[in-house]
Amino acid sequence: MITLITGAAGHIGTCLRRGLPALGHRLRLTDRGPIEDADVDQVVGDITDPATLARAMEGVRAVVHLAGDPSTGASFESVLDANIEGTYRVFEAARLAGAERIVFASSNHAAGFTPRQECAPADTPVRPDSLYGVSKAYGEALGRYYADRYGMRVACLRIGSFEPRPPDARALSTWLSPGDMVRLAHACLTAPDLTYALVWGVSANTRGWLDLKPGRALGYDPRDDAEAYAAELPELDVADPDYAWLGGRTVES
Ligand code: 15L
């Protein structure tokens, strides 16, 4: 049983290709360039190329789809190619190859215009704060379609701030640690009852306000908390966009 990781050379891809094998996952990697430090099965090429994807999908049971432009400032042309067309090509190639499960890296920015609240549900309505966020909302819709239409099992992860440590004060609420990223992907790859799920990709942050219950229901057991770094970071004013909005300062950029 092979799990394909797209965008495997990126930050999250590198974290998962290093962390998932120890949890029993046999991986194949794909990215636009070769991954030199990886002594594993890999297919080099672009996800907008159906021939590359057909090779990458051979014998694959599950896909972790990370490839795409990760920048909140991405242009329309860039998201159109990498995120819109690329994500469609990945879902369709996975279906044609008989893969049964897709874990899609969405983002908090699909709902970045959500105001801070007590506890935001994981299926908080789409309120993108950027064209990047729009492209992630599109990926979530595509996932819902492939689940309903073709019976694929799809988990969309609305990832917060994935970094080795919280990069700024906003991330005291939105941080996703590398260890928890691996735990979340593992849960979504193995949950027997997954049909379609939207889950927040964040750690168990003391200052978090994103509901972790849907993730926990799939078996996600976050262990990290950004609070451990709070003393190093400034307090945010409630009027600061990094405090007031899920997407932080992206809502104003
Ligand atoms: C994301 O989805 C982006 O890829 C990343 O660059 C950060 O902006 C992150 O969200 C975040 O919200 O911190």
Side-chain angles (χ1 to χ4, degrees):
M1 294 292 210
I2 302 172
T3 295
L4 176 71
I5 300 181
T6 73
H11 292 308
I12 297 180
T14 300
C15 163
L16 293 183
R17 67 186 162 83
R18 293 186 177 153
L20 285 175
L23 298 177
H25 299 275
R26 181 174 156 203
L27 301 180
R28 179 175 301 146
L29 311 178
T30 186
D31 212 305
R32 282 184 295 197
I35 298 171
E36 310 287 358
D37 66 334
D39 182 21
V40 292
D41 193 3
Q42 58 177 300
V43 172
V44 178
D46 198 292
I47 56 160
T48 58
D49 173 30
T52 297
L53 278 179
R55 268 191 299 128
M57 292 286 176
E58 270 171 36
V60 160
R61 181 196 72 103
V63 180
V64 181
H65 176 41
L66 307 171
D69 189 328
S71 166
T72 54
S75 68
F76 176 68
E77 285 68 28
S78 181
V79 297
L80 180 62
D81 182 54
N83 302 15
I84 304 284
E85 179 174 359
T87 298
Y88 165 70
R89 298 274 176 224
V90 168
F91 271 85
E92 183 62 2
R95 178 183 79 81
L96 291 173
E100 61 118 6
R101 188 177 292 244
I102 300 193
V103 179
F104 169 61
S106 183
S107 167
N108 71 91
H109 295 285
F113 265 108
T114 301
R116 181 177 283 261
Q117 55 200 259
E118 192 63 37
C119 180
D123 61 355
T124 285
V126 162
R127 290 184 78 174
D129 58 19
S130 50
L131 290 174
Y132 165 76
V134 171
S135 76
K136 292 300 182 180
Y138 157 86
E140 294 176 358
L142 204 58
R144 180 87 250 194
Y145 171 63
Y146 274 79
D148 286 339
R149 177 69 181 81
Y150 300 112
M152 293 178 81
R153 299 179 187 274
V154 179
C156 296
L157 317 183
R158 289 180 158 180
I159 295 171
S161 305
F162 172 82
E163 295 284 347
R165 53 202 292 145
D168 51 26
R170 167 176 171 262
L172 292 172
S173 301
T174 58
W175 187 48
L176 175 62
S177 74
D180 284 338
M181 179 68 243
V182 173
R183 286 183 271 278
L184 179 58
H186 174 67
C188 294
L189 287 169
T190 54
D193 298 332
L194 174 67
T195 51
Y196 174 80
L198 261 181
V199 301
W200 294 118
V202 291
S203 288
N205 302 316
T206 300
R207 302 187 200 196
W209 51 277
L210 304 172
D211 188 4
L212 287 173
K213 280 199 292 299
R216 290 188 194 277
L218 294 175
Y220 173 45
D221 180 22
R223 303 211 190 128
D224 294 317
D225 183 346
E227 205 57 25
Y229 302 90
E232 304 163 15
L233 293 164
E235 287 296 326
L236 288 173
D237 187 273
V238 295
D240 190 315
D242 269 359
Y243 182 88
W245 302 100
L246 177 55
R249 71 201 85 124
T250 300
V251 304
E252 292 184 349
S253 60

